[in-house]
Amino acid sequence: MGADDEAGDGAARLAAIVPPAVLALIGRLVEAGHAAYVVGGSLRDALLGRDPADWDLATDARPHRLVELFPGAVYENRFGTVAVRRDAEVFEVTTFRLEHEYADFRRPHRLDFGDDIEADLARRDFTVNAMAWGRRPGEPANALADPLGGRADLDARLLRAVGDPDARFREDALRMVRAVRLAATLGFDIEPTTLAAIRANAGLVAHLSGERIATELEKLLGAPRPSVGLALMQEAGVLAVISPELAAQRGIAQSKVRGEDLWDHTLRAVDAAPVERPVIRLAALLHDIGKPATLAEGHFPHHDAVGAQLADAFLRRLRYPRTPAEEVVHLVKHHMFVVDQGATDAAVRRFILRIGPERLEALFALRRADDLGSGADPDDPDTVAFRARVEREIHAAHPLDRGALAVDGHDLMGELGLEPGPRLGRVIDELLERVIADPGANERGSLLLLAQGILADMYEDAVDPS
Ligand code: ATP
Ligand code: MG
């Protein structure tokens, strides 16, 4: 069977793959005198034999007309997208567009509605994203519209800019980020002139909003192997614009995998992090972000603390949602924890307290990715034993926070005449320290006695600070 037959088969299969609700939407629009097509990423994915996450439709019907035709449809925004509900699912129907007058290397200044599918496809980013499947009124059956050669590029697994790549990336610099992202999510190569244009225009990525970059980065980290896109980003100069700190990892020596540098280690760690855990993947990307800045005589002193600050600044620039950003920063800050067989039980309990019991599992998941990225065994006996000890301590339910102490602030104020304030807080912290070292001491009488001793010490320190 030749490539043409395969292409034909793929297109023919579409009639079977496209859900009945979408076929019905196309049918209804055509019946009402409009052209209607499945477009964009959904068509691309369907042709690749993947299950599209959602189905995007394009039509020459204007938004007000769509709202008229489909009761309950909602006109979402000024970009001409209408959400149509069908079979308990929502489909985005977008009126054909013509785009022009780009400014600031970002979105177009003005959007006009168009009347034909060809113009709508021509303003899309890559040929594989610029196909349509559907029909105009009067046409007998749905068919593939592929004026830009998307089908051939899909078979060759190539991302090729629609039109002049240089011009298209200057119109909207996000397309360069999308190219490397799609290379990773689809497992495609970037066609050479398109890649050359990314190299030439990478600096324009600086004009993009953090949110738009973050959206693509998140999709990139959800790829089977994000390293494919990250490596392209680095080679093409896009990474240096998004994160100079990460780009600086290239060329920094590591004693981990022979012949590989720090950036190679980061890439391996990201790929090794579980695909279904975006926070761990992002933490793997950022865990050593502090190394280039702290490099001194072959070591990276405090790169975890410095890295946590740099990761925080990076995620703020990208306007990352607070909760995952905070989790990632916490993981970067603590990723250097030491697995020590000789640690006392109290030291293990202090470690649990420092990390937070509910956050340990994520930290171990990051360590696993870090180990795999270093060519080390993530299940070496020391690590396994340490994890087991931590588990045991957590399940032993030893007091690990102030709330679990057998006395509270009210007791201390009532029994010892303490006033609310920092001194009371210090006494409670000190009691917690003692109980972590010796869980047996967590008993009201002993704690009150201990507190008296702590207060006496504090008083002496205050009188004689030597
Ligand atoms: P995914 O499957 O990850 O959603 P996608 O290609 O569908 O990938 P979307 O952001 O959903 O990505 O965009 C839908 C379609 O809109 C694309 O397939 C492409 O045709 C077009 N498109 C998106 N962003 C741009 C852009 N910046 N410039 C030109 N066309 C774009
Ligand atoms: Mg999409």
Side-chain angles (χ1 to χ4, degrees), residues 136-155:
R136 299 185 164 90
E139 287 179 349
N142 293 326
L144 191 68
D146 180 21
L148 299 156
R151 185 66 224 221
D153 285 334
L154 195 84
D155 290 338

Side-chain angles (χ1 to χ4, degrees), residues 39-45 50 52-54 56 92 97 99 102 106-108 120-131 162 168 171-176 178 181-182 185-186 212 215-216 219:
V39 290
S42 51
L43 178 57
R44 176 200 69 214
D45 288 349
R50 302 166 164 229
D54 39 33
D56 301 320
E92 304 234 301
R97 300 174 195 173
E99 281 181 12
Y102 284 79
R106 298 189 287 216
R107 302 159 187 279
D120 183 83
L121 295 178
R123 57 101 193 162
R124 291 173 185 269
D125 49 6
F126 302 103
T127 60
V128 293
N129 287 345
M131 295 180 272
V162 168
R168 301 311 305 284
E171 280 173 3
D172 181 359
L174 189 73
R175 291 171 185 155
M176 296 186 272
R178 285 176 55 82
R181 185 272 280 189
L182 288 163
T185 52
L186 301 174
R212 291 183 87 201
T215 302
E216 295 300 328
K219 289 189 179 185

Side-chain angles (χ1 to χ4, degrees), residues 190-320:
I190 301 179
E191 173 276 323
T193 58
T194 301
L195 186 56
I198 298 178
R199 285 207 180 90
N201 293 288
L204 301 179
V205 167
H207 295 274
L208 296 171
S209 73
E211 289 93 336
R212 291 183 87 201
I213 295 173
T215 302
E216 295 300 328
L217 180 63
E218 200 140 85
K219 289 189 179 185
L220 170 57
L221 291 175
R225 288 179 54 226
S227 62
V228 171
L230 291 167
L232 279 166
M233 237 187 206
Q234 193 277 329
E235 284 157 26
V238 172
L239 186 68
V241 180
I242 294 176
S243 171
E245 305 89 347
L246 283 179
Q249 291 187 338
R250 179 44 107 209
I252 291 186
Q254 281 280 277
S255 53
K256 292 178 172 170
V257 179
R258 188 191 298 271
E260 296 198 352
D261 64 14
L262 178 56
W263 175 240
D264 294 319
H265 162 67
T266 295
L267 294 182
R268 282 181 183 273
V270 175
D271 284 357
V275 63
E276 72 285 358
R277 301 190 67 176
V279 165
I280 309 295
R281 281 226 157 151
L282 188 53
L285 176 65
L286 299 176
H287 77 287
D288 280 343
I289 193 173
K291 276 190 172 174
T294 55
L295 174 62
E297 293 166 27
H299 296 277
F300 309 99
H302 307 298
H303 81 267
D304 40 4
V306 171
Q309 284 173 6
L310 293 175
D312 186 51
F314 171 78
L315 295 170
R316 282 176 200 275
R317 288 202 299 278
L318 262 52
R319 309 240 181 286
Y320 239 79

Side-chain angles (χ1 to χ4, degrees), residues 365-379:
L366 175 61
R367 172 59 60 89
R368 168 172 288 275
D370 195 358
D371 281 346
L372 289 168
S374 306
D377 175 10
D379 295 310

Side-chain angles (χ1 to χ4, degrees), residues 80-114:
T81 297
V82 174
V84 176
R85 191 172 285 280
R86 197 94 190 192
D87 291 359
E89 259 194 277
V90 176
F91 300 96
E92 304 234 301
V93 186
T94 306
T95 303
F96 294 156
R97 300 174 195 173
L98 304 169
E99 281 181 12
H100 41 113
E101 286 195 54
Y102 284 79
D104 311 334
F105 319 108
R106 298 189 287 216
R107 302 159 187 279
H109 245 22
R110 224 174 80 207
L111 275 171
D112 284 337
F113 296 132

